[in-house]
Amino acid sequence: MSANQGPPVYISGSAQEIVGRGRPAPAYLNLLAAAAADAVADAGLDRAAIDGLVLSSSIPQPFERNPAEVAEYLGLGAAYTAMAPYGGRPATDVLHLARSAVRAGLATNVLVLSADTFASTLGLEGAIDLYMKSFDASYERPFGPLIPTAFALMAARHVHDYGTSMEQLARVAVSIRKHGLLNPHTEVSGELTVRSVVDDVLVSTPLTRSMLALISTGGAQGFVVTRERVDRRSVALLGYGEASAFMSLSQAPSLVHFAHIRRAADLALRQAGAELTDVDFVQFYDPATIVPLILLESIGFCGPGEGGAFVEDGAIEIGGRLPMNTHGGTLAFRHPGMGAALDSVVEAVTQLRGEAGPRQVRDAGLGLVHGQGSWLANNGFLILGRS
Amino acid sequence: MNDSADAVRADAVRADAVRKVDPSGDVEATFWDGCSRREFWLQHCTACDAWQFYPRSLCSHCWAPTSELEWRRPAGGAVLESFSVVHRGSGPFAGYAPYVVALVRFDEGPIMMSNVVGDVEGLAIGDRLELDFAERAGRVVPVFTRAGKLS
Ligand SMILES: [Zn+2]
């Protein structure tokens, strides 16, 4: 506990805007406004109590509106405003920025907003093209990697170094699909089996389509981060750690084990005065099924190379010893864009409030939420707890 | 793919040639300009004796300035660190699928993303590779072939 860096702040309001599979997303500002209204209503606060705004840039509209413009649009009046830019950042960082503003005395109740209108503004091909720009224009794009190829290069090396099997890579998708099917807002239907995942069409070897994230047309998330606990539905933000170590995969010190991931997770845990064994569930960014395996290993839930065996016995399913992505994640709920990790935060808040219905983790008291920027290049971990 | 005219052009610059890095130059343009002549130039730091890829205006290992960097040509041998066969190319790559995207470690140390071309049947991590060049849409890009296998 000695490393605890000050009292917690609280996520007292949480909201998620649903667009639906293949449906055109509402306009960017419409989504932001809906998320703002729903988050403040969820917190049970008057909008006049909001004196801060942290805006997460979206992928298709990285700089469409600056945060002062959005604050003005919402009629917030005098408020602290900030924005987390697009590119190489874990989306969880906006909750840290809101916490920092509260702790620095810049604001008392900070609205955190994110919206993406991906495929309805760019089309799915345009969305994929935009994602591809994450690769370096000079030294990576000339060789034709798809976004899944970044994860495929990690997976191939993991298979080579540790003997991880296609069945183990598939098992992650099967388990997380079970959770997605318990989410009334999921964009997928039908159970998966290890066989159906392995036999699905290859996108970038060794990864098949069912081992990869969905691409959604849009979505939004809103939160109210407060200095005071509003009521028993307020969730404590107990820790945040973040570290980047590279951007291009050619510069990564390893393709299978990442010290900066451990560093970021340890920072968050230390602030919270918590150990890994205290964590009741995890919400990991899951763009490809190799990523949760690498996270389990790099954070230290299991040893290097043991991720495949860890997931084989259903440990990451609700009822298992470490439920993961209880909303379905990007594999089996949706992938709206920059806000994917904020969907994970919404789910963590829902779990810690005990409001997750059929997918509720029993006695959920402490959750670890992961956000990722560009193929594990940058990682941000939040520790959230029941208040 | 390697016709004799190319072989002559590649030999026009001695393999042990060393060039200073122009402090006011654009290292990215210099790199690709070399590739257009089928010459691969890798940066080497004279201060700490380390190689680096991608090229920069300083040494990322010791922060020596541009004036202490030089361009050298690696021997061309490399090892396959990892690879993925892309089955559904996107945009300009749609016509190439399936193709191999790889991370390749030069014997000098640096790793780069590239393609393995030619005979890739049974390709495996750890395979020895050799530097080559391929022309695509009017641009010459560095690629690799399996050592001892003609592309
Ligand atoms: Zn140096």
Side-chain angles (χ1 to χ4, degrees):
Chain A
M1 290 299 273
S2 58
N4 192 308
Q5 298 176 4
V9 300
Y10 299 89
I11 300 177
S12 294
S14 171
Q16 182 172 62
E17 303 307 315
I18 300 298
V19 172
R21 179 103 181 131
R23 295 223 180 107
Y28 179 60
L29 282 173
N30 296 28
L31 272 175
L32 283 182
D38 289 348
V40 173
D42 183 68
L45 291 173
D46 189 286
R47 69 185 175 86
I50 302 299
D51 58 358
L53 171 70
V54 174
L55 183 62
S56 173
S57 67
S58 77
I59 297 175
Q61 295 92 0
F63 306 108
E64 184 160 302
R65 300 282 169 163
N66 72 46
E69 286 176 296
V70 174
E72 174 195 86
Y73 184 90
L74 296 171
L76 292 186
Y80 164 79
T81 62
M83 183 171 189
Y86 167 59
R89 52 168 278 252
T92 42
D93 58 359
V94 285
L95 290 148
H96 153 70
L97 293 173
R99 176 176 73 155
S100 297
V102 167
R103 283 190 167 171
L106 293 168
T108 308
N109 301 305
V110 179
L111 193 53
V112 175
L113 297 177
S114 178
D116 288 281
T117 62
F118 236 115
S120 52
T121 44
L122 298 166
L124 275 182
E125 282 303 312
I128 291 166
D129 265 7
L130 193 64
Y131 271 128
M132 298 267 289
K133 292 205 168 100
S134 302
F135 287 109
D136 187 86
S138 194
Y139 304 112
E140 293 180 320
R141 297 187 74 186
F143 306 105
L146 307 178
I147 294 297
T149 306
F151 304 112
L153 290 165
M154 297 176 191
R157 186 78 205 199
H158 206 274
V159 167
H160 174 268
D161 286 3
Y162 302 127
T164 301
S165 67
M166 286 295 280
E167 287 72 21
Q168 289 169 334
L169 287 169
R171 186 59 200 251
V172 174
V174 171
S175 292
I176 293 177
R177 175 65 68 100
K178 286 185 190 174
H179 300 166
L181 295 178
L182 296 172
N183 183 340
H185 302 301
T186 183
E187 296 189 1
V188 299
S189 59
E191 287 185 14
L192 295 176
T193 64
V194 166
R195 185 65 15 220
S196 75
V197 175
V198 170
D199 289 347
D200 199 356
V201 58
L202 279 165
V203 175
S204 193
T205 63
L207 303 177
T208 68
R209 181 67 200 87
S210 293
M211 296 177 185
L212 296 165
L214 308 166
I215 295 182
S216 303
T217 56
Q221 302 80 17
F223 306 94
V224 183
V225 172
T226 61
R227 189 175 64 195
E228 308 297 334
R229 179 179 180 274
V230 172
D231 56 29
R232 56 163 295 281
R233 294 178 75 250
S234 294
V235 162
L237 198 177
L238 299 167
Y240 182 72
E242 183 178 320
S244 74
F246 58 87
M247 184 66 194
S248 297
L249 273 182
S250 69
Q251 310 298 303
S254 161
L255 292 173
V256 294
H257 203 74
F258 299 91
H260 68 302
I261 290 176
R262 180 64 166 263
R263 172 186 160 90
D266 281 352
L267 284 167
L269 286 161
R270 218 177 308 147
Q271 284 170 28
E275 309 274 339
L276 279 184
T277 50
D278 299 327
V279 172
D280 297 313
F281 62 85
V282 294
Q283 314 292 359
F284 286 166
Y285 185 56
D286 55 354
T289 56
I290 184 63
V291 171
L293 299 188
I294 288 174
L295 288 167
L296 287 168
E297 295 170 13
S298 288
I299 294 168
F301 283 109
C302 61
E306 294 173 1
F310 188 96
V311 302
E312 237 169 8
D313 62 351
I316 62 168
E317 293 177 15
I318 295 165
R321 72 190 139 113
L322 189 68
M324 178 191 294
N325 300 1
T326 50
H327 58 322
T330 68
L331 288 165
F333 165 35
R334 68 175 184 181
H335 193 314
M338 187 54 89
L342 298 177
D343 279 334
S344 301
V345 176
V346 170
E347 176 66 7
V349 168
T350 304
Q351 288 285 349
L352 293 166
R353 287 171 168 176
E355 297 174 354
R359 60 178 198 275
Q360 181 66 46
V361 173
R362 275 189 64 185
D363 302 321
L366 201 74
L368 176 65
V369 184
H370 165 253
Q372 175 213 258
S374 304
W375 40 82
L376 297 172
N378 196 357
N379 298 271
F381 290 95
L382 281 166
I383 302 278
L384 303 178
R386 202 163 47 201
S387 73
Chain B
M1 198 181 268
N2 283 324
D3 62 30
S4 54
D6 286 327
V8 169
R9 284 176 61 194
D11 283 343
V13 176
R14 286 171 49 95
D16 59 354
V18 175
R19 289 179 176 171
K20 297 301 274 183
V21 177
D22 176 1
S24 61
D26 175 343
V27 292
E28 186 178 321
T30 302
F31 172 78
W32 284 107
D33 187 53
C35 287
S36 73
R37 297 188 306 275
R38 297 182 174 246
E39 296 165 12
F40 193 101
W41 293 92
L42 195 58
Q43 282 185 326
H44 175 260
C45 175
T46 58
C48 74
D49 195 30
W51 297 81
Q52 73 177 356
F53 183 84
Y54 48 94
R56 296 160 163 101
S57 65
L58 85 174
C59 171
S60 61
H61 305 285
C62 75
W63 278 25
T66 318
S67 57
E68 299 192 46
L69 295 178
E70 60 189 17
W71 294 102
R72 287 192 186 183
R73 298 179 69 192
V79 171
L80 185 58
E81 284 287 306
S82 191
F83 73 99
S84 177
V85 183
V86 177
H87 282 262
R88 300 160 140 195
S90 171
F93 284 88
Y96 290 107
Y99 58 92
V100 176
V101 175
L103 290 168
V104 171
R105 183 189 295 273
F106 282 100
D107 292 341
E108 288 77 5
I111 298 176
M112 75 175 294
M113 183 175 282
S114 184
N115 301 121
V116 180
V117 301
D119 177 10
V120 294
E121 184 73 28
L123 188 67
I125 289 172
D127 280 357
R128 290 289 306 165
L129 304 172
E130 288 169 2
L131 177 65
D132 198 350
F133 291 91
E135 191 167 332
R136 286 183 201 143
R139 182 183 198 185
V140 182
V141 297
V143 296
F144 289 81
T145 59
R146 270 197 285 179
K149 301 220 178 192
L150 292 175
S151 54

